[in-house]
Amino acid sequence: MQKPPQQVDFALKETSPNIGAGAITGDKLSCTYDLVEQMQYLYVRVVKAKDLPAKDVTGSCDPYVEVKLGNYKGITKHFEKKSNPEWNQCFAFSKERIQASTLEVLIKDKDVVIDDLIGRVIFELNDIPKRVPPDSPLAPQWYRLEDRKGDKAKGELMLAVWMGTQADEAFPDAWHSDAAAVGPDGVANIRSKVYLSPKLWYVRVNVIEAQDLQPSDKSRYPEVFVKATLGNQALRTRTSQSKSINPMWNEDLMFVVAEPFEEPLILTVEDRVGSNKDEQLGKCLISLQTVQRRLDHKPVNTRWFNLERYIMVDGEQKKETKFASRIHLRICLDGGYHVLDESTHYSSDLRPTAKQLWRPSIGILELGVISAVGLMPMKTKDGRGTTDAYCVAKYGQKWVRTRTIVDSSTPRWNEQYTWEVFDPCTVITIGVFDNGHIHGDKGGGGKDSRIGKVRIRLSTLETDRVYTHSYPLLVLHSSGVKKMGEVQLAVRFTCSSLINMLHMYSHPLLPKMHYIHPLSVIQLDSLRHQAMQIVSMRLSRAEPPLRKEVVEYMLDVDSHMWSMRRSKANFFRIMGVLSGLIAVGKWFDQICNWKNPLTTILIHILFIMLVLYPELILSTVFIYLFLIGIWNFRWRPRHPPHMDTRLSHADAVHPDELDEEFDTFPTSRPSDIVRMRYDRLRSIAGRVQTVVGDLATQGERFQSLLSWRDPRASTLFVTFCLIAAIVLYVTPFQVVALLIGIYMLRHPRFRHKLPSVPLNFFRRLPARSDSML
C-alpha cells in the first residue's frame, strides 16, 4: 500500500549549491574541501610589536591592537607596562560584508579616560595577496608605524595580511567579524571544534568467595553480600546462600569506565544485621590501572585481595591491623565488547574497545555543513527574536561542532569534516542547536536549545555520489510537531574497497564477544545509560564544553521512555510490515473464490506444474524475487531517508498524549491527570492482555491434541493420524499434494459458508483458560 506523500513543508528537498565537487574550474576550493560553498575572508594575523614608545605619565605603555575595517572592529587583549608585547591573534573579516577599501591596524595605549594612539599601519584591499591551501602559511612581516598624519612613528608591528577561504588553517581559531557583538568571555564558546568520545571499557568483576569474615555478632549466621562501587555506579551481589564466615557467590558485576581511569573500584563486604541495617565487614580498593585487559572469552587469573576494616580511635578512623579477612575475585577489562553509548537502532560505531581487534577501514565519509534557512527565533534580545545557531555532527568516537553564527536565521557555516568508516550499516547524526552561552558562562543557568536533528544511514547511500539536500528540522513540542527550519548538507561516502565492504555484510553486527558471552537486555540497557552519562560528563568538561543537553539529545538518552505516540507508531509499523502478507492472503482468497477465472485457471496450471516437477519450486521462488527486485530498481530511493512525521505518528497525536510524553519521571502532573492516564493505560493493557490470552489459548489447544485432556478428541486425532499415516504411505506424495491443492482452489459452487471440519474440531479442543482465576 503506497503512503500518501508528506506535506511539502516537512519534505526533503534536493538542492544545487555552488560547491566544488564534480567541478573542474580552477576557482573552486582544493579537492579536499569540495563539499561546501567557497567563502572569501580577509585574514589579519597580529603577531607582536617592538620598541613601542611610552605614553603614560608613569613612563610605561599598556598596548593593544585594534583591527578596523569599515564598521567592523576587532581588538586584541592588552598588556600592562610592556613595550615589546606578543599577541599572536588572528582576525577574519567576511568579504561579502566588506564595504571599506582600506584596512587599518592601530596600536593603542590603554588609558583610564581615553586610549592614546601609538601608531598605525594602513593596507589597500586591492594590494592584499591571495592564498589558497595547500600553499604554506604567509610569513608575517615587520611594518613601521605611522601617526595620523602619515609621518613615521616610533615602534614596529609584525603582521600577516592575506585573502583566503574557510579552508585556511587560521579559520577555526580566528576572531570573526560576524561575531563582533560577542565579548571576550564568549569567544571560546562560538568557535568550531572537534571532540573525541572517551575510550570506554566494560569492567567485569566476578565475585567468587570471601574468607575469615569477622561479624560483630558471633551468635547468628551472617547474611553476607558484596557491594561494588565505581564512580557513581553501584551494584551488589545477592546474599550468599552459604550463611557462614566463608561465603560464596560466583556472581558477575558489570561496570562502564572511561580512560584515563580516574577512580578506583571499591568493594565492601556487608552483613545484613537488620531490616534496614547493614554492617560493613571489610573494604577493598582496587586501582583499574593494575587490572588485566582481556581480548577474548578466555578466563583471566583469579586473585585474593585483603579486606581492610577501619575502627574509630579517639574520634579518628584508623585501619585495624590484626585483620585477616580476604576476598577472592576475577577482575578484567573486557576489550572484546563494543561499549554501547547510543541506541542500537542507529549506532555510529560497532567496533570493540580493544584496538587490536579492529578491522581495517572500508571507506571515508565526508560531510559538508553548508547552511540553514528559516530558523525559528529561539530567544529574545532587545525585544526581538534571535538565533545563534551551530551544528554538531557525531559519527563513531568523533564529534564535530561548527562555529556559531551570531544573530542569524539563515546561517552559512560551509565547514567540511571527514570520518573513517569501518561498517556501512551505521548512522551519522547531525543536530542544530542555539548557543545560549555566547556571552560567557557568567549567567550560569543558560542552556543550548535544540533546533532539530537529522540521521543518515550510510548503507542507504550510493558510493562516490554527492548528496546535496535540504533537510527539515523537526522537533516535537508539547504543542505538537514543529518545523524549526531547514539545514542544507552535502554528504559523500567513498568506498576504498568494494569487495571488503560487501564482505562486511556477512560479518555479525557486533563483536563476537556479544555472542559468545552475551549480556542480558537489562544489563545492556543499564550499561548504555551509564556510558551515556560518562560521555556527556567528559565532553562537558572540554573547552569549550559540548554541553550535557547537546550530548543527550544527540545520543537519544530518553528514547526508552514510555510514549503513547511512539507505541502507536510502532504498532502501525508492524501493520505496515504485515500488510504484504495480508495482501497476499486477500489475493489468494480471490483466487479461491474465482473472482477472476482466467487468473485462477493460470494458478491451477502453475500449481500442477510445480507438483509434477517439485525441483522447480525453489528456483521459481528465487526467480520471482529476482524479478521483483529488478522491477523495483527503477523506483529505488534517490535521496537519503529523513525524519518522517507520518511514520512517527507526530502529525495526528492527541495533545494529552504529548503532555504525557513530555512529563518528567517520576511524574510531576496533578493526581487527577495521572489517575486518568493510569486508567487509560489499564484499558490498553486490558486489550493487550486479551490478545495474549487468545494466543495462549490457541497454543494450548495444539498441546491438548495429544494430552488426553479431552479423551474423545484425542481418540479421534490419534485415529486420524494412524489412518493418514497408512494412506500417505501407500499414496505418492504428489497425488496427495495435487488433491489438497485442487480442493483448496475449488469453485465457489462447491463451497459452503460454514467453517471447515478441521477448524470446528480445533475450536472444540480444551485450553487452560478454564483454570484461570
Side-chain angles (χ1 to χ4, degrees):
M1 187 177 69
Q2 287 288 326
K3 287 192 303 180
Q6 276 203 297
Q7 294 179 39
V8 177
D9 200 32
F10 292 161
L12 188 73
K13 299 168 189 170
E14 192 159 1
T15 58
S16 303
N18 185 27
I19 61 176
I24 314 173
T25 53
D27 196 35
K28 298 293 179 189
L29 299 176
S30 60
C31 59
T32 56
Y33 215 70
D34 62 347
L35 292 185
V36 291
E37 294 178 340
Q38 187 171 350
M39 296 175 75
Q40 294 285 341
Y41 285 89
L42 168 62
Y43 289 98
V44 182
R45 181 177 292 284
V46 180
V47 183
K48 56 185 175 181
K50 65 179 182 182
D51 303 331
L52 298 180
K55 286 284 183 180
D56 290 349
V57 182
T58 57
S60 63
C61 175
D62 306 330
Y64 70 90
V65 173
E66 182 179 292
V67 182
K68 198 173 178 185
L69 184 65
N71 296 327
Y72 295 106
K73 186 165 61 175
I75 299 172
T76 67
K77 59 180 179 283
H78 83 278
F79 291 98
E80 292 191 6
K81 299 181 173 60
K82 201 166 187 180
S83 58
N84 298 307
E86 283 193 31
W87 292 283
N88 203 23
Q89 277 184 256
C90 190
F91 299 84
F93 298 87
S94 176
K95 187 179 179 182
E96 63 183 27
R97 298 190 183 185
I98 294 176
Q99 295 176 340
S101 58
T102 57
L103 167 72
E104 260 187 298
V105 184
L106 306 96
I107 299 188
K108 293 187 176 182
D109 178 38
K110 188 84 172 171
D111 213 338
V112 180
V113 184
I114 188 166
D115 298 343
D116 298 322
L117 177 69
I118 297 173
R120 65 178 182 173
V121 180
I122 297 177
F123 296 90
E124 290 289 334
L125 294 191
N126 294 333
D127 299 335
I128 292 174
K130 192 173 184 179
R131 178 198 168 232
V132 178
D135 290 356
S136 297
L138 200 68
Q141 300 177 33
W142 286 105
Y143 292 89
R144 287 295 302 265
L145 297 178
E146 299 175 352
D147 58 18
R148 290 202 184 276
K149 295 177 183 176
D151 299 330
K152 287 186 178 179
K154 190 181 178 187
E156 291 183 83
L157 178 62
M158 183 181 271
L159 293 171
V161 182
W162 71 97
M163 294 296 296
T165 67
Q166 75 270 34
D168 205 293
E169 61 270 10
F171 181 79
D173 295 322
W175 173 94
H176 287 270
S177 58
D178 54 7
V182 180
D185 296 330
V187 167
N189 290 322
I190 65 169
R191 285 181 175 152
S192 56
K193 286 288 174 186
V194 175
Y195 304 82
L196 288 176
S197 291
K199 189 176 183 181
L200 299 174
W201 293 80
Y202 283 146
V203 183
R204 187 186 293 271
V205 183
N206 179 225
V207 184
I208 303 170
E209 59 182 330
Q211 274 187 1
D212 303 327
L213 299 180
Q214 298 177 17
S216 56
D217 186 358
K218 311 282 188 193
S219 62
R220 56 178 285 278
Y221 292 115
E223 296 181 21
V224 186
F225 63 90
V226 176
K227 185 178 175 183
T229 308
L230 184 59
N232 60 353
Q233 305 169 69
L235 297 172
R236 50 162 287 178
T237 65
R238 64 184 185 278
T239 303
S240 173
Q241 299 298 313
S242 53
K243 298 181 186 290
S244 67
I245 60 169
N246 299 315
M248 295 189 70
W249 295 277
N250 198 22
E251 193 171 333
D252 273 358
L253 303 176
M254 295 287 289
F255 297 92
V256 181
V257 69
E259 287 188 1
F261 306 133
E262 296 173 343
E263 292 165 321
L265 174 67
I266 303 169
L267 295 168
T268 56
V269 181
E270 300 185 16
D271 181 16
R272 176 60 56 87
V273 294
S275 57
N276 287 314
K277 190 179 178 187
D278 300 325
E279 179 195 2
Q280 193 178 109
L281 303 181
K283 186 177 181 179
C284 173
L285 270 72
I286 301 167
S287 171
L288 292 178
Q289 276 90 345
T290 62
V291 171
Q292 187 176 341
R293 301 184 178 200
R294 183 173 77 162
L295 304 183
D296 51 24
H297 61 283
K298 293 174 185 172
V300 297
N301 297 327
T302 63
R303 282 180 63 189
W304 286 95
F305 292 88
N306 293 324
L307 293 171
E308 298 167 350
R309 184 151 71 181
Y310 294 87
I311 53 174
M312 298 299 288
V313 178
D314 299 330
E316 291 183 10
Q317 267 199 352
K318 290 197 174 177
K319 192 189 294 184
E320 194 176 328
T321 50
K322 295 180 180 179
F323 191 65
S325 300
R326 55 185 192 155
I327 188 168
H328 195 193
L329 303 170
R330 182 184 280 113
I331 307 179
C332 66
L333 290 160
D334 263 331
Y337 290 93
H338 168 67
V339 181
L340 293 162
D341 61 345
E342 53 198 338
S343 175
T344 48
H345 298 299
Y346 21 82
S347 286
S348 63
D349 188 15
L350 301 165
R351 292 170 295 169
T353 301
K355 206 166 184 177
Q356 301 94 306
L357 302 177
W358 289 5
R359 294 191 181 95
S361 67
I362 59 161
I364 297 290
L365 172 66
E366 295 164 281
L367 172 72
V369 184
I370 299 173
S371 62
V373 293
L375 296 185
M376 301 287 285
M378 301 302 294
K379 53 182 177 280
T380 306
K381 182 184 175 185
D382 301 330
R384 63 182 182 86
T386 179
T387 302
D388 307 313
Y390 67 92
C391 272
V392 174
K394 195 257 183 203
Y395 183 77
Q397 292 182 322
K398 179 177 169 183
W399 300 66
V400 299
R401 168 182 174 155
T402 68
R403 71 192 189 284
T404 300
I405 306 297
V406 179
D407 193 12
S408 174
S409 62
T410 56
R412 293 176 65 219
W413 294 287
N414 284 304
E415 296 183 28
Q416 185 169 335
Y417 298 96
T418 306
W419 288 266
E420 273 191 301
V421 177
F422 293 87
D423 194 312
C425 302
T426 45
V427 175
I428 181 171
T429 306
I430 304 105
V432 184
F433 300 88
D434 174 63
N435 196 331
H437 301 83
I438 61 169
H439 299 295
D441 298 312
K442 292 177 181 176
K447 282 191 171 186
D448 290 359
S449 308
R450 55 183 73 166
I451 297 176
K453 70 180 168 190
V454 175
R455 294 192 203 100
I456 301 172
R457 185 171 289 275
L458 269 59
S459 58
T460 63
L461 304 177
E462 296 175 20
T463 51
D464 299 319
R465 177 184 162 189
V466 177
Y467 290 83
T468 53
H469 290 89
S470 188
Y471 295 81
L473 295 169
L474 307 176
V475 173
L476 198 63
H477 292 284
S478 53
S479 56
V481 69
K482 195 173 183 182
K483 183 179 177 183
M484 307 297 288
E486 293 178 11
V487 62
Q488 189 177 0
L489 305 173
V491 184
R492 177 170 56 205
F493 173 39
T494 309
C495 173
S496 53
S497 169
L498 183 62
I499 300 296
N500 286 349
M501 186 172 74
L502 295 177
H503 186 53
M504 284 298 299
Y505 281 85
S506 66
H507 287 292
L509 199 62
L510 292 167
K512 65 179 181 180
M513 278 294 285
H514 285 268
Y515 307 98
I516 297 170
H517 275 277
L519 302 171
S520 70
V521 175
I522 296 172
Q523 260 185 322
L524 279 173
D525 200 46
S526 171
L527 291 169
R528 183 170 73 94
H529 180 71
Q530 293 296 339
M532 284 176 171
Q533 297 300 321
I534 291 170
V535 170
S536 65
M537 185 186 71
R538 285 287 179 92
L539 293 178
S540 66
R541 282 163 48 186
E543 190 57 46
L546 198 59
R547 301 189 183 275
K548 188 170 184 272
E549 60 271 18
V550 173
V551 176
E552 289 184 348
Y553 181 57
M554 296 288 287
L555 294 179
D556 279 294
V557 167
D558 55 353
S559 62
H560 65 287
M561 297 296 287
W562 158 259
S563 160
M564 179 73 81
R565 173 193 62 83
R566 207 175 278 134
S567 301
K568 285 182 180 177
N570 287 334
F571 172 76
F572 286 114
R573 284 173 64 200
I574 291 173
M575 292 307 295
V577 170
L578 297 177
S579 63
L581 294 174
I582 295 167
V584 169
K586 287 179 178 177
W587 173 79
F588 185 70
D589 187 60
Q590 289 176 353
I591 296 294
C592 293
N593 286 299
W594 291 66
K595 297 284 184 187
N596 187 334
L598 181 62
T599 308
T600 306
I601 290 166
L602 289 172
I603 292 296
H604 274 80
I605 296 167
L606 178 64
F607 173 70
I608 292 166
M609 286 176 60
L610 292 176
V611 168
L612 294 176
Y613 304 99
E615 64 273 12
L616 295 177
I617 293 174
L618 283 177
S619 58
T620 304
V621 169
F622 284 116
I623 197 70
Y624 179 66
L625 294 174
F626 169 78
L627 291 172
I628 290 176
I630 294 297
W631 181 260
N632 288 342
F633 180 77
R634 295 167 60 196
W635 293 282
R636 68 191 184 279
R638 296 287 184 172
H639 53 75
H642 66 291
M643 299 295 182
D644 191 328
T645 54
R646 188 168 288 106
L647 180 71
S648 310
H649 211 69
D651 54 351
V653 63
H654 194 276
D656 183 65
E657 292 174 6
L658 277 176
D659 184 63
E660 181 182 25
E661 186 170 339
F662 283 93
D663 190 7
T664 55
F665 188 85
T667 183
S668 56
R669 299 294 185 262
S671 58
D672 55 335
I673 293 178
V674 175
R675 190 180 295 112
M676 181 270 290
R677 287 174 182 167
Y678 175 63
D679 290 339
R680 181 175 64 196
L681 201 57
R682 283 176 67 191
S683 68
I684 294 168
R687 276 176 258 166
V688 173
Q689 173 185 285
T690 304
V691 172
V692 172
D694 287 344
L695 289 172
T697 297
Q698 307 310 323
E700 287 166 358
R701 281 175 176 164
F702 271 110
Q703 289 177 335
S704 65
L705 283 169
L706 295 170
S707 69
W708 298 90
R709 173 67 63 186
D710 182 342
R712 283 164 295 278
S714 292
T715 303
L716 284 169
F717 183 68
V718 168
T719 307
F720 168 77
C721 289
L722 178 63
I723 295 167
I726 295 168
V727 170
L728 291 171
Y729 183 74
V730 298
T731 311
F733 175 75
Q734 288 168 309
V735 174
V736 176
L738 199 63
L739 291 172
I740 291 172
I742 291 171
Y743 177 76
M744 294 285 290
L745 296 168
R746 67 193 185 279
H747 196 274
R749 72 173 58 179
F750 301 114
R751 298 173 184 273
H752 49 83
K753 293 185 178 180
L754 296 177
S756 63
V757 172
L759 192 59
N760 290 334
F761 177 75
F762 182 74
R763 284 176 177 170
R764 288 176 176 277
L765 292 171
R768 302 187 68 187
S769 52
D770 312 339
S771 306
M772 292 278 290
L773 284 173

